[in-house]
């Protein structure tokens, strides 16, 4: 990743932070974006402690103007973009009768709409660099055995993978690879779910063949580094389930 520039949304904590740390550890300069500048600065300080380069960019991914400014600032300060990681997402969990229009719209705006907007914004910059990689985060929630309480969330994540497939097909000849990853990791969101759904969580984790939840940097971040490497140059449009073998996407 030496000489490469990555833009990671939702990089102030959790999976986004793990991915940012892993990319920076391999030499990439990383623009870390999110809503809370203090969290972003913490991620950037961790990268700086390792001798890496990172900049914090406050951004609400639901705002088109914020996204455009974030991309422009990344290019201006770091020299271009080679990797985009669409990680930020507001989660519209709840049974269908409980999910409000506002929550569903927030999930859509922060998920597939932001993903679509950002992919279009970075496209010319990836082309200018001779190609690049886009990593979109989806979820195995879309293939759960019991969809109760997860319909709206699964819907927005399904939409993101549809965009992944389209971008992979449309931009492959320009050297741009686009992938979806579906991680289970020790994120704040998963920890919250475990705390609030202990019986369901216990049953769920029994179904993970590797017997544990993924580590943020070591398991998820390092996998993203591998997916961005030239060794994976023939892989695009795919779902990569980073979940210890739990989900079956069929």
């Amino acid at each position: 990743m030496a000489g490469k520039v990555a833009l990671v949304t939702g990089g102030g904590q959790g999976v986004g932070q793990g991915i940012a740390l892993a990319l920076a550890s391999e030499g990439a300069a990383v623009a870390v974006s999110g809503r809370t500048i203090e969290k972003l600065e913490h991620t950037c300080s961790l990268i700086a402690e390792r001798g890496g380069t990172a900049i914090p960019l406050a951004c609400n991914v639901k705002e088109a103007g914020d996204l455009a400014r974030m991309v422009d600032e990344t290019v201006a300060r770091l020299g271009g973009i080679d990797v985009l990681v669409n990680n930020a997402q507001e989660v519209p969990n709840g049974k269908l009768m409980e999910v409000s229009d506002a929550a569903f719209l927030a999930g859509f705006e922060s998920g597939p709409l932001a993903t679509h907007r950002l992919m279009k914004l970075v496209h010319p910059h990836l082309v200018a660099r001779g190609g690049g990689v886009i990593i979109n985060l989806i979820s195995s929630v879309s293939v759960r055995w019991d969809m109760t309480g997860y319909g709206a969330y699964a819907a927005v994540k399904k939409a993101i993978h549809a965009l992944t497939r389209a971008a992979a097909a449309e931009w492959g000849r320009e050297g741009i690879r686009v992938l979806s990853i579906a991680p289970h990791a020790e994120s704040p969101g998963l920890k919250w779910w475990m705390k609030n759904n202990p019986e369901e969580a216990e049953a769920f984790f029994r179904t993970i063949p590797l017997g544990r939840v993924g580590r943020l940097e070591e398991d998820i971040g390092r996998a993203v580094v591998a997916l961005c490497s030239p060794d994976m140059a023939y892989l695009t449009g795919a779902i990569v389930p980073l979940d210890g073998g739990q989900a079956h996407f069929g």
Side-chain angles (χ1 to χ4, degrees), residues 50-195:
R50 304 179 181 189
T53 299
I55 58 172
L57 298 176
C59 174
N60 180 351
V61 296
K62 295 187 292 184
E63 298 293 333
D66 272 16
L67 296 176
R69 175 188 52 76
M70 176 179 65
V71 170
D72 289 345
E73 192 167 349
T74 299
V75 173
R77 295 176 62 182
L78 298 179
I81 298 175
D82 302 282
V83 175
L84 168 66
V85 179
N86 281 306
N87 168 64
Q89 171 78 67
E90 292 186 29
V91 179
N93 271 342
K95 294 182 179 179
L96 296 179
M97 293 297 290
E98 300 167 353
V99 176
S100 67
D101 284 2
F104 202 163
L105 282 170
F108 178 81
E109 290 172 347
S110 63
L113 183 55
T115 296
H116 186 211
R117 285 170 167 168
L118 266 178
M119 289 198 302
K120 291 192 295 182
L121 286 166
V122 304
H123 174 269
H125 301 293
L126 298 179
V127 171
R129 306 271 278 192
V133 182
I134 298 173
I135 304 288
N136 295 327
L137 272 79
I138 62 167
S139 173
S140 61
V141 70
S142 63
V143 291
R144 279 181 61 88
W145 63 95
D146 178 3
M147 291 295 294
T148 302
Y150 299 98
Y153 181 41
V156 299
K157 288 302 190 182
K158 281 275 195 179
I160 290 173
H161 182 59
L163 294 170
T164 298
R165 292 285 298 167
E170 294 174 13
W171 300 344
R173 299 297 177 91
E174 296 171 296
I176 299 171
R177 297 190 294 114
V178 192
L179 297 162
S180 295
I181 64 170
H184 290 332
E186 298 168 338
S187 65
L190 185 62
K191 289 179 179 178
W192 178 92
W193 178 76
M194 292 169 61
K195 180 180 178 181

